Amino acid sequence: MDLLEHQGKELLAGYRLPVTTGQIAFSADEAVAAADSIGLPVVVKAQVHTGGRGKAGGVKIGDSLQDVRKHADNILGLDIKGHIVRRLWIEKAADIADEYYVSFTFDRSVKQHLGILSAEGGVEIEIVAKEKPEAIAKVLINPLDGLTASAARVWAEQAHTDKTALDRIVDMLMSLYKVYVEADAELVEINPLILTSAGDVVALDAKISVDGNSIYRHASYEEYVATQVRDDREREAHAKGLTYVGLEGSVGVIANGAGLAMSTVDIVHQVGGKPANFLDLGGGADANVMTAALELLNNDQSVESILVNIFGGITRCDKVANGIIEALNRVDITSPLVVRLDGTTADEGRELLKPHVSSDLMMASDMLEAARLAVELARSTRATS
């Protein structure tokens, strides 16, 4: 789950990290009241799940309450890369002496945490990496060992951060890493991390993504769910408890396991089709789960065929087959269905499905055949509609 800036700062503040103080506003009147309470000058900042707010006019300095009202009126409702601004963060303008970039994420290629630090803060790190790669210092962190203070110091020195503030920068790096680990974050990015003229190190921005599967460990994360940007399909899937990502194709994809679902999406592309979604049933494919999945895809007007790709491991294919049969009794499917079963009790599952095979329900022996058939059916449906 992606956090809005103010949510990220509230999370950091909970770990006693220094952040700029501010208040949320949903209207121009609230923005003016917040600015009056905080004290001028303030910065009026759009709260959306995307970068590039400044370039899009979503970040403005208000030196007077009149300025704040004008900026709030202009920013609320602004479309920033497809995200409509519904709330603002009004924060005290900072006294900036220097700007840095710092982030923690996971490098799957080496199975270690990755820290990135640069003295070129306040600009997009991709631009720095392209135009001035020597300004970026990286550190790989073994999850079992964690980030040590000595390693953080060497890292900060390699990034050419201010020597007079080195101790405070190291403390901030150590604290940010603690947040990254303990908050079950997938990304913690501060750009910029500022050094004030008084020598304080403060997070001026906060881009944080946390693992949605960790909610059971963090009750407060429930509030982040309500602010996630989802289309109608994704909202319906979330309500049904399905792991779903909407795409822009015509072949609906249902699979058990994230890896198999991704492979199914890829193979649909490979045979010339376009997947309409990624849908992972997880370990359960009983009638209730299958019904929920088929209902979701059935309600998607872009879906012209549905590919059900199941590999039985712990999940038994005969139970999946029974789940499909029961689901079809509950849902009036308008798109042809292609089913591929393999693995545990696959033969039994196919035998259960045989009496139901028709032009609306077909079986395939392998993934490639199933994907080709689903793509052909989608094209036929489109041609006759």
Side-chain angles (χ1 to χ4, degrees):
M1 295 186 294
D2 297 327
L3 276 58
L4 295 168
E5 176 194 358
H6 76 90
Q7 293 171 331
K9 286 182 173 177
E10 289 161 4
L11 178 62
L12 296 180
Y15 282 83
R16 298 186 178 180
L17 271 73
V19 298
T20 45
T21 58
Q23 296 179 27
I24 285 294
F26 293 91
S27 67
D29 286 342
E30 290 182 7
V32 170
D36 192 37
S37 172
I38 295 168
L40 298 167
V42 297
V43 184
V44 182
K45 307 174 81 172
Q47 297 297 285
V48 286
H49 293 102
T50 188
R53 294 175 299 169
K55 292 180 181 179
V59 178
K60 296 290 184 180
I61 296 177
D63 292 315
S64 68
L65 295 181
Q66 291 79 9
D67 285 343
V68 172
R69 182 176 294 280
K70 179 182 71 175
H71 296 324
D73 281 331
N74 290 337
I75 296 174
L76 285 168
L78 186 66
D79 185 330
I80 302 179
K81 298 181 181 179
H83 297 260
I84 305 300
V85 181
R86 305 295 184 193
R87 66 177 70 188
L88 304 170
W89 176 245
I90 313 299
E91 71 178 16
K92 183 69 175 177
D95 177 16
I96 303 173
D98 211 348
E99 296 179 292
Y100 306 121
Y101 170 96
V102 62
S103 68
F104 289 100
T105 189
F106 190 71
D107 188 334
R108 298 185 185 278
S109 65
V110 294
K111 299 180 181 178
Q112 296 190 68
H113 298 308
L114 172 65
I116 300 175
L117 180 63
S118 175
E120 303 287 329
V123 295
E124 295 179 14
I125 193 65
E126 294 82 3
I127 295 176
V128 179
K130 182 179 180 179
E131 298 180 354
K132 200 174 179 182
E134 69 278 5
I136 295 176
K138 300 180 181 180
V139 61
L140 288 171
I141 307 162
N142 188 315
L144 297 177
D145 299 330
L147 179 65
T148 64
S150 58
R153 181 172 293 274
V154 171
W155 181 30
E157 290 172 344
Q158 290 174 339
H160 306 294
T161 58
D162 191 299
K163 292 182 179 179
T164 63
L166 190 58
D167 288 342
R168 291 183 291 281
I169 292 171
V170 169
D171 288 343
M172 175 63 86
L173 294 176
M174 296 294 292
S175 296
L176 285 172
Y177 180 74
K178 181 179 181 181
V179 173
Y180 168 70
V181 173
E182 293 187 5
D184 289 302
E186 296 175 345
L187 171 69
V188 171
E189 179 183 271
I190 311 299
N191 188 25
L193 179 71
I194 65 168
L195 179 65
T196 70
S197 57
D200 297 320
V201 180
V202 180
L204 192 62
D205 198 1
K207 182 179 181 181
I208 298 176
S209 295
V210 298
D211 185 352
N213 294 316
S214 70
I215 289 181
Y216 73 96
R217 284 200 290 261
H218 309 279
S220 62
Y221 287 8
E222 288 290 350
E223 69 178 270
Y224 304 148
V225 174
T227 58
Q228 296 307 295
V229 178
R230 298 187 176 99
D231 63 22
D232 291 341
R233 300 171 301 173
E234 290 169 340
R235 280 192 290 271
E236 182 182 351
H238 180 76
K240 294 177 182 293
L242 297 171
T243 301
Y244 174 95
V245 178
L247 302 173
E248 298 181 352
S250 59
V251 179
V253 171
I254 298 174
N256 64 321
L260 183 60
M262 286 188 285
S263 296
T264 308
V265 165
D266 288 342
I267 205 166
V268 168
H269 275 295
Q270 181 182 321
V271 298
K274 292 185 178 180
N277 64 276
F278 164 102
L279 197 161
D280 170 21
L281 295 175
D286 60 18
N288 290 332
V289 175
M290 190 62 71
T291 297
L294 289 174
E295 281 181 339
L296 176 65
L297 299 194
N298 204 45
N299 292 336
D300 186 347
Q301 297 300 311
S302 65
V303 171
E304 294 169 338
S305 70
I306 299 173
L307 171 54
V308 180
N309 189 15
I310 302 296
F311 183 83
I314 297 175
T315 302
R316 293 168 54 97
C317 288
D318 57 337
K319 290 190 175 182
V320 173
N322 281 322
I324 293 172
I325 294 166
E326 180 60 30
L328 292 175
N329 290 329
R330 300 183 193 178
V331 185
D332 183 17
I333 302 297
T334 57
S335 301
L337 196 68
V338 178
V339 180
R340 177 257 183 170
L341 301 177
D342 199 2
T344 305
T345 64
D347 291 338
E348 292 89 334
R350 296 188 198 105
E351 287 299 319
L352 288 168
L353 287 175
K354 274 185 181 180
H356 303 274
V357 169
S358 67
S359 59
D360 295 323
L361 192 157
M362 306 175 197
M363 289 194 292
S365 59
D366 58 47
M367 281 179 62
L368 189 59
E369 179 190 349
R372 283 175 175 159
L373 183 53
V375 170
E376 289 171 6
L377 288 169
R379 288 171 179 162
S380 299
T381 303
R382 192 179 314 122
T384 57
S385 61

